[in-house]
Amino acid sequence: MTNILVLHTGGTIAMSQDATGAVSPTAENPLMAIQAQLAPTVHLQVEEAFNLPSPHITPTHMLQLATRIRAAEAAGIDGVVVTHGTDTLEETAFFLDLTLDSTIPVVVTGAMRSSNEVGADGSYNCVSAIRTAASPAARNKGCLVVMNDEVHTARFVTKTHTTNVATFRTPTFGPIGLVTKDGIRFFQELINQVACPITQVISPVFLLKAYAGMDGALFDALPADCAGLVIEALGAGNLPPATLPSVQRLLDRGVPIVLVSRCFNGVAEGFYDYPGGGAQLQRMGVIFCQGLNGQKARIKLIVGLSAGKSGKELAAYVDNAIS
Ligand code: ASP
């Protein structure tokens, strides 16, 4: 028997639509009776951790999930599935990926259509996620995201469409596996990563997006207790020059600033050497984070700060360098 813990947290996968078209949480999670669709060798232990739309999920909820999963693994569970709203699913999945040192599969899934809509994808995705969590091939792969017959790494997957069921994509690299009728097929080797377990979450950590003509107003408006900042910068990692005095003031206050690109593909690198160019930002002490989007880089900065990292150690942790 393969024992799988299913942790429901809410989201559209646990919602239904009324006659006016409005979508909202239901009292009884429609996924509670999914056992009938699974192989008899799979035994489910189902818990409702929360019943929240995912815009209500915070890093504190993510830490609660990580704590529950760690306890379940210690108690001998064979795999874990987390059902989650899709809006912040990639952030929770990446938080689990960073903080858990699990060898068992941990799989996050959701749905784009509520349970009573035509073509609802919730039950199907949930069954696919359970099959993945029960697959020995999914062990030692960190946290995975299974949606729409594809297996993605939590590290690089992102939501790319507001409503399409094929919304979850991995820019640059693609999915690492497929859910087929026969089983779960993996076709990419993964980068190993050392887990960073935490017992608290530091806040507030902010995320700002750069734009043409940006000045320092938003940077100057950050509160005195700002613990960290991620900037989605322009192109290869550049900022408009009018932001520089404010960026320097934050660095002088000791606020760690992490920079990613607002581009969908590629990595941020500091090679432009003009006012506001990445080379100058790196010399100022801005940390370049390679290959993560802004919301993922923010999760990584929160985890690094929450683990007590600072200075060069924090920069080395957050820069996400692959080699
Ligand atoms: N707004 C919903 C949520 O993230 C969307 C979804 O679940 O797909 O909770």
Side-chain angles (χ1 to χ4, degrees):
M1 193 58 88
T2 307
N3 293 303
I4 304 295
L5 172 65
V6 181
L7 293 172
H8 294 305
T9 71
T12 298
I13 196 166
M15 295 185 192
S16 56
Q17 192 178 45
D18 69 15
T20 70
V23 176
S24 57
T26 39
E28 176 71 3
N29 189 319
L31 299 174
M32 284 292 187
I34 217 154
Q35 176 76 58
Q37 300 173 49
L38 295 166
T41 50
V42 173
H43 174 259
L44 298 185
Q45 179 182 331
V46 181
E47 293 176 18
E48 190 162 68
F50 327 111
N51 190 3
L52 296 172
S54 76
H56 297 199
I57 297 280
T58 67
T60 302
H61 293 110
M62 299 173 195
L63 181 59
Q64 285 174 37
L65 288 173
T67 305
R68 178 68 192 98
I69 293 168
R70 203 171 293 120
E73 183 168 15
I77 206 85
D78 297 305
V80 177
V81 168
V82 177
T83 70
H84 199 286
T86 58
D87 291 352
T88 62
L89 185 152
E90 66 192 84
E91 284 153 273
T92 295
F94 191 46
F95 184 100
L96 298 177
D97 191 53
L98 290 172
T99 58
L100 290 172
D101 47 11
S102 303
T103 57
I104 58 167
V106 177
V107 183
V108 186
T109 193
M112 296 304 291
R113 298 186 184 131
S114 53
S115 59
N116 58 344
E117 278 182 76
V118 173
D121 51 337
S123 309
Y124 185 84
N125 284 337
C126 195
V127 169
S128 298
I130 293 166
R131 288 176 60 210
T132 307
S135 164
R139 293 176 69 88
N140 293 305
K141 286 190 164 32
C143 183
L144 301 172
V145 172
V146 169
M147 294 278 293
N148 200 38
D149 279 340
E150 291 182 347
V151 186
H152 296 262
T153 62
R155 187 176 191 173
F156 292 122
V157 73
T158 192
K159 184 175 181 178
T160 65
H161 195 287
T162 51
T163 53
N164 194 309
V165 293
T167 182
F168 280 90
R169 298 284 167 91
T170 298
T172 309
F173 309 117
I176 61 160
L178 292 177
V179 178
T180 72
K181 303 281 181 210
D182 275 353
I184 317 301
R185 314 253 174 246
F186 289 95
F187 47 83
Q188 278 193 36
E189 287 297 318
L190 300 188
I191 304 158
N192 284 332
Q193 124 187 314
V194 178
C196 183
I198 55 174
T199 54
Q200 54 164 359
V201 281
I202 296 290
S203 70
V205 174
F206 294 92
L207 171 60
L208 292 179
K209 184 170 192 158
Y211 49 85
M214 189 183 205
D215 64 17
L218 289 174
F219 298 88
D220 292 336
L222 293 173
D225 66 348
C226 172
L229 171 66
V230 174
I231 306 171
E232 281 187 18
L234 308 174
N238 312 303
L239 287 176
T243 63
L244 294 181
S246 307
V247 168
Q248 186 62 61
R249 273 194 290 279
L250 286 169
L251 291 167
D252 291 344
R253 270 166 52 189
V255 175
I257 301 182
V258 174
L259 184 144
V260 298
S261 174
R262 70 176 195 177
C263 294
F264 188 64
N265 277 298
V267 298
E269 292 175 309
F271 57 84
Y272 282 103
D273 207 353
Y274 52 71
Q280 182 180 7
L281 295 169
Q282 261 181 334
R283 283 196 296 273
M284 287 166 68
V286 172
I287 303 165
F288 275 54
C289 173
Q290 299 181 9
L292 296 183
N293 62 25
Q295 58 270 31
K296 298 268 180 79
R298 176 176 171 271
I299 293 293
K300 194 154 194 192
L301 180 56
I302 289 172
V303 170
L305 289 168
S306 303
K309 297 182 193 294
S310 61
K312 284 197 167 64
E313 192 195 8
L314 180 70
Y317 177 68
V318 176
D319 86 354
N320 206 45
I322 287 163
S323 56

